[in-house]
């Protein structure tokens, strides 16, 4: 239900309709629902790397809005007037303890009351805006204080400055605001995109997110550097291109291919390694290139040759990122299994290959921006971000899917592969004829992210689940755990 509803909302948003959500309390299921809508909206607009940032900021704003409503509720219970200076001070003395000690009670009472938090999402030509409203008046002094904090926060450059300054803030609300501003600044969304206003009845906090982020100057340089890197990447070696052609000829003599591969020791090693990887579940270890061809077939071999060459070009140039490739291997395994499960045997080797290479943009991204890693690490540890890649992308303003797409085009990789690399986080954007390949790569990759707790079933696009008849969370989970087990069983390296 949630998957369908949030996909529908994201679609409405894309058509330019205002999406409105109403809530009384920020419990887990409410936050999950909102995160799901936001994730889908961002993915569809190639901004998936803003997921963590926007969800963190939005959650912060919603929590504050609910808190403002709780405050109003509390003042009603106490028969105090919020707008009266003396009564306000009196009420605030006990309010903090009240919300800490009575969370469940507050949740129930808010539900029964007329106090609501409304979230509006609206798309316009150059970006979109999020408005969070609560129907409690804000004390003019408090609004003034918030505005002053926002002003002050714009001056900070990094978190260390913040900690020195905010530690004397006894209300504790300051920190959330300052971090929000700092995040907006560092992501290139811009500190001015955050506004708080009140008309005496309703208080509103808004963020405007442009589709084209303006990275800070230093980030702009890095973006250029990445594009230069992609331009300077070597093309595929001649012998690989020839080998690939040979593999597409069904009449070919296997021995010619085996000989050619054997002439290139590093290619032989990686072909054997990948042939013995979990994807093919062979009964015994493949020892020679001849066996590899016989057991996994020419089509799979062709995929392996391309994937091996792509990887070795990147590994030679940059430090090897085992984690990324390990993740890709697992995605490839899942993708192949999914194709077989969904009766899409014909594209099994295509999705396998897409899995192997879908994150190749990440390698270039991670390598090029490593000069920044220290600064990134500060951000990561302070905000408990789950991965630094996200922040790097956020700061640089270019996604690893876009980088990957450019590399794939440069290497003249087949169109289905280019599409899978480009759309693996936003599958709805792909061309119609590649939908099966892209959707399966997407699902396989997301299964890995779910295992790493970076993604949630509820964030999945309904269309991708529907296409393969996955109608419920239970069905999806059963399939996922089945694949996971298979992967673990066969993942002991045989070579
Ligand atoms: Fe990815
Ligand atoms: Fe991935």
């Amino acid at each position: 239900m949630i998957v369908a509803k949030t996909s529908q909302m994201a679609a409405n948003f894309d058509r330019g309709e205002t999406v409105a959500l109403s809530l009384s309390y920020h419990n887990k299921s409410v936050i999950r629902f909102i995160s799901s809508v936001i994730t889908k909206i961002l993915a569809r607009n190639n901004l998936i790397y803003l997921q963590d940032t926007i969800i963190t900021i939005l959650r912060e704003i919603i929590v504050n809005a609910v808190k403002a409503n709780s405050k109003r509720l509390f003042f009603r219970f106490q028969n105090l007037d919020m707008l009266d200076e003396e009564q306000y001070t009196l009420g605030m003395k006990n309010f903090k303890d009240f919300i800490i000690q009575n969370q469940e009670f507050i949740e129930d009472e808010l539900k029964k009351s007329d106090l609501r938090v409304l979230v509006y999402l609206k798309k316009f030509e150059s970006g979109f805006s999020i408005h969070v409203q609560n129907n409690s008046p804000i004390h003019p002094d408090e609004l003034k204080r918030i505005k002053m904090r926002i002003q002050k926060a714009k001056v900070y450059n990094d978190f260390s400055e913040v900690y020195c300054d905010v530690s004397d803030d006894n209300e504790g609300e300051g920190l959330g605001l300052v971090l929000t501003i700092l995040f907006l600044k560092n992501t290139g969304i811009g500190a001015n995109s955050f506004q708080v206003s009140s008309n005496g009845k309703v208080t509103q906090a808004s963020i405007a997110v442009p589709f084209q982020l303006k990275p800070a100057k230093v980030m702009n340089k890095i973006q250029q550097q990445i594009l230069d890197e992609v331009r300077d990447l070597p093309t595929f070696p001649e012998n690989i291109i020839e080998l690939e052609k040979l593999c597409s000829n069904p009449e070919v003599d296997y021995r010619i291919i085996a000989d050619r591969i054997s002439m290139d020791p590093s290619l032989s090693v990686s072909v054997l390694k990948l042939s013995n990887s979990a994807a093919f579940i062979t009964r015994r270890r493949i020892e020679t290139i001849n066996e590899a061809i016989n057991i996994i077939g020419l089509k799979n071999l062709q995929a392996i040759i391309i994937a091996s060459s792509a990887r070795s070009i990147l590994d030679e140039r940059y430090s090897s990122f085992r984690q990324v490739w390990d993740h890709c291997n697992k995605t490839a395994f899942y993708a192949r299994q999914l194709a077989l499960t969904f009766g899409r045997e014909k594209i099994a080797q295509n999705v396998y290959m897409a899995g192997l290479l879908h994150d190749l943009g990440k390698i270039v991204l991670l390598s090029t921006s490593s000069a920044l890693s220290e600064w990134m690490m500060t951000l990561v540890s302070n905000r408990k971000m789950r991965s630094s890649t996200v922040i790097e992308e956020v700061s640089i303003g270019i996604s690893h899917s876009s980088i990957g797409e450019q590399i794939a085009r440069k290497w003249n990789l087949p169109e289905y592969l280019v599409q899978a690399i480009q759309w693996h986080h936003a599958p709805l954007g792909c061309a119609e004829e590649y939908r099966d390949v892209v959707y399966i790569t997407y699902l396989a990759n997301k299964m890995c992210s779910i295992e790493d707790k970076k993604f949630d079933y509820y964030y999945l696009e309904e269309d991708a689940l529907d296409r393969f008849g996955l109608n419920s969370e239970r069905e999806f989970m059963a399939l996922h755990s089945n694949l996971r087990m298979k992967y673990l069983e066969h993942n002991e390296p045989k070579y």
Side-chain angles (χ1 to χ4, degrees):
M1 262 313 264
I2 295 180
V3 171
K5 251 193 197 161
T6 54
S7 287
Q8 187 55 51
M9 282 183 166
N12 294 346
F13 172 90
D14 269 343
R15 275 199 302 274
E17 289 172 28
T18 301
V19 170
L21 300 147
S22 164
L23 58 119
S24 54
Y25 195 78
H26 51 83
N27 57 31
K28 220 174 148 189
S29 62
V30 165
I31 294 294
R32 185 162 65 191
F33 189 90
I34 293 176
S35 304
S36 166
V37 179
I38 293 286
T39 303
K40 287 175 188 184
I41 285 175
L42 292 173
R44 286 160 183 242
N45 292 286
N46 197 21
L47 292 170
I48 188 66
Y49 52 86
L50 288 179
Q51 187 193 356
D52 267 1
T53 314
I54 300 285
I55 288 179
T56 309
I57 293 175
L58 185 55
R59 200 191 300 138
E60 195 111 26
I61 295 175
I62 289 175
V63 168
N64 280 333
V66 171
K67 199 167 157 193
N69 281 351
S70 316
K71 199 187 273 184
R72 187 168 185 199
L73 191 76
F74 175 75
F75 275 73
R76 273 186 198 165
F77 283 149
Q78 303 283 315
N79 240 335
L80 292 170
D81 179 5
M82 281 178 84
L83 298 175
D84 179 284
E85 192 86 28
E86 247 173 63
Q87 296 190 31
Y88 184 75
T89 319
L90 187 70
M92 284 311 288
K93 262 188 191 159
N94 302 317
F95 173 64
K96 240 187 196 166
D97 287 341
F98 171 76
I99 50 166
I100 293 170
Q101 288 159 14
N102 302 287
Q103 285 197 18
E104 272 174 37
F105 172 75
I106 293 173
E107 186 175 348
D108 286 346
E109 288 302 316
L110 280 175
K111 244 179 228 163
K112 282 188 255 167
S113 76
D114 57 329
L115 299 169
R116 286 285 174 276
V117 172
L118 296 171
V119 181
Y120 295 104
L121 305 164
K122 175 127 189 68
K123 186 176 184 174
F124 44 95
E125 212 174 301
S126 58
F128 70 97
S129 58
I130 306 174
H131 305 282
V132 180
Q133 297 182 346
N134 64 281
N135 50 348
S136 303
I138 189 166
H139 193 283
D141 285 350
E142 204 180 331
L143 186 61
K144 227 189 262 168
R145 209 167 44 233
I146 290 175
K147 288 198 165 167
M148 252 170 59
R149 277 200 199 115
I150 294 176
Q151 248 358 79
K152 217 173 149 191
K154 289 181 185 171
V155 184
Y156 294 119
N157 289 310
D158 67 51
F159 290 98
S160 56
E161 291 175 32
V162 180
Y163 280 114
C164 299
D165 243 30
V166 186
S167 50
D168 62 342
D169 177 358
N170 50 12
E171 274 205 48
E173 281 161 358
L175 189 61
L177 258 181
V178 171
L179 291 181
T180 300
I181 298 293
L182 212 52
F183 256 97
L184 291 170
K185 215 163 131 180
N186 286 334
T187 51
I189 297 173
N192 289 330
S193 74
F194 183 69
Q195 304 285 345
V196 180
S197 60
S198 171
N199 65 3
K201 283 182 183 154
V202 172
T203 308
Q204 173 172 282
S206 317
I207 323 169
V209 183
F211 288 136
Q212 287 298 322
L213 297 186
K214 286 194 203 78
K217 262 193 194 131
V218 50
M219 303 307 170
N220 248 333
K221 256 193 216 154
I222 292 170
Q223 191 179 53
Q224 193 50 51
Q225 211 177 321
I226 289 181
L227 298 176
D228 291 348
E229 280 291 332
V230 172
R231 197 197 54 215
D232 294 343
L233 277 176
T235 46
F236 267 37
E238 236 1 86
N239 68 323
I240 299 293
I241 299 173
E242 276 171 31
L243 255 173
E244 203 216 319
K245 271 194 204 133
L246 280 175
C247 291
S248 9
N249 176 4
E251 320 260 277
V252 75
D253 181 350
Y254 282 14
R255 280 172 306 182
I256 299 177
I257 293 178
D259 284 352
R260 285 249 179 156
I261 295 176
S262 308
M263 266 158 37
D264 182 337
S266 74
L267 180 64
S268 312
V269 170
S270 49
V271 164
L272 289 177
K273 240 188 211 166
L274 281 175
S275 316
N276 280 302
S277 73
F280 302 107
I281 314 183
T282 49
R283 273 178 214 292
R284 61 189 177 84
R285 210 175 78 163
I286 297 172
E287 306 266 7
T288 66
I289 302 290
N290 263 323
E291 283 173 357
I293 302 177
N294 285 324
I295 295 173
I296 65 173
L298 219 47
K299 275 260 152 56
N300 283 318
L301 184 75
Q302 188 181 22
I304 285 181
I305 288 171
I306 295 180
S308 306
S309 313
R311 287 183 177 196
S312 70
I313 291 176
L314 293 177
D315 283 348
E316 241 168 63
R317 215 172 157 86
Y318 310 107
S319 41
S320 155
F321 286 95
R322 271 232 30 206
Q323 253 186 326
V324 177
W325 293 137
D326 284 350
H327 156 74
C328 287
N329 289 349
K330 193 193 235 183
T331 306
F333 173 80
Y334 284 178
R336 188 165 184 276
Q337 293 294 322
L338 286 177
L340 300 178
T341 311
F342 299 150
R344 306 293 205 274
E345 289 83 359
K346 273 199 177 147
I347 56 160
Q349 83 264 3
N350 294 9
V351 296
Y352 169 68
M353 173 108 132
L356 285 180
L357 293 177
H358 74 283
D359 269 337
L360 54 82
K362 231 179 222 181
I363 303 281
V364 176
L365 180 79
L366 286 169
S367 308
T368 318
S369 56
S370 62
L372 273 176
S373 59
E374 211 174 295
W375 180 76
M376 301 296 180
M377 284 317 288
T378 331
L379 287 180
V380 176
S381 59
N382 279 318
R383 274 320 263 179
K384 297 190 181 68
M385 281 289 192
R386 284 177 236 115
S387 90
S388 63
T389 327
V390 177
I391 300 192
E392 288 172 13
E393 292 184 296
V394 163
S395 326
I396 294 162
I398 184 167
S399 69
H400 70 272
S401 334
S402 304
I403 301 172
E405 181 225 352
Q406 295 184 41
I407 301 174
R409 291 216 185 275
K410 185 188 162 100
W411 284 345
N412 288 323
L413 296 181
E415 188 57 26
Y416 77 85
L417 210 50
V418 178
Q419 294 267 335
I421 292 170
Q422 180 178 7
W423 300 110
H424 74 271
H425 286 285
L428 305 187
C430 78
E432 192 55 45
E433 60 175 308
Y434 303 108
R435 216 144 273 254
D436 274 346
V437 175
V438 174
Y439 280 17
I440 289 177
T441 313
Y442 163 78
L443 289 174
N445 181 47
K446 289 310 177 199
M447 281 182 170
C448 297
S449 308
I450 289 172
E451 285 170 30
D452 296 341
K453 308 225 176 320
K454 284 184 193 158
F455 205 80
D456 195 292
Y457 165 79
Y458 299 98
Y459 301 173
L460 288 169
E461 284 292 354
E462 187 197 14
D463 204 35
L465 295 167
D466 275 359
R467 191 173 186 92
F468 307 111
L470 292 168
N471 297 318
S472 68
E473 185 181 5
R474 204 197 295 164
E475 237 173 279
F476 179 85
M477 303 259 263
L479 175 61
H480 184 184
S481 74
N482 180 9
L483 295 191
R484 203 173 173 176
M485 257 161 39
K486 263 195 197 163
Y487 183 75
L488 287 174
E489 264 170 45
H490 295 277
N491 198 31
E492 273 98 72
K494 287 180 247 172
Y495 189 80

